[in-house]
Amino acid sequence: MPNYDYGILLMCYYAIKKIPILKMMAVFWAALPMNLYQASGVSYDSFTFAVGIVVFAFIIKLWNEGLDKRDWIRLGIAVFALGQCKGGVYLSLILLL
């Protein structure tokens, strides 16, 4: 079975790189033991977490600096991916955006 640690690691790195403030909080959030445990296994929880931290980073960037056209597209893709996780449970949170 494939392990998706590298993809999750890259998504967390991208989120930490994009977030303008609260970088240490994002690193702390990404390095929590439960998140590392979920990332080491094969489940959709780790993908949900990685996409969630990317969406969080874009929302903080939107709130702090604003987004350009490329970032709006990336936010839309990340929000769509998050909405598809866990059978649509996150769709109500997406409507709040």
Side-chain angles (χ1 to χ4, degrees), residues 5 7 13 74:
D5 289 342
Y13 170 76
R74 290 177 183 149

Side-chain angles (χ1 to χ4, degrees), residues 14-91:
Y14 180 74
I16 291 167
K17 183 179 158 190
K18 280 291 186 184
I19 197 167
I21 57 173
L22 304 173
K23 286 186 189 276
M24 287 306 294
M25 191 220 37
V27 170
F28 175 74
W29 190 23
L32 285 172
M34 188 63 192
N35 295 333
L36 295 175
Y37 175 75
Q38 287 178 349
S40 67
V42 179
S43 72
Y44 59 85
D45 290 332
S46 56
F47 179 75
T48 303
F49 164 73
V51 174
I53 197 170
V54 169
V55 169
F56 177 75
F58 275 119
I59 290 173
I60 293 295
K61 185 175 180 184
L62 171 67
W63 177 60
N64 198 29
E65 299 174 353
L67 297 176
D68 59 352
K69 187 176 181 180
R70 277 187 168 173
D71 286 339
W72 275 109
I73 292 170
R74 290 177 183 149
L75 175 63
I77 291 169
V79 165
F80 178 76
L82 185 64
Q84 299 302 314
C85 293
K86 295 199 178 198
V89 172
Y90 294 108
L91 287 175

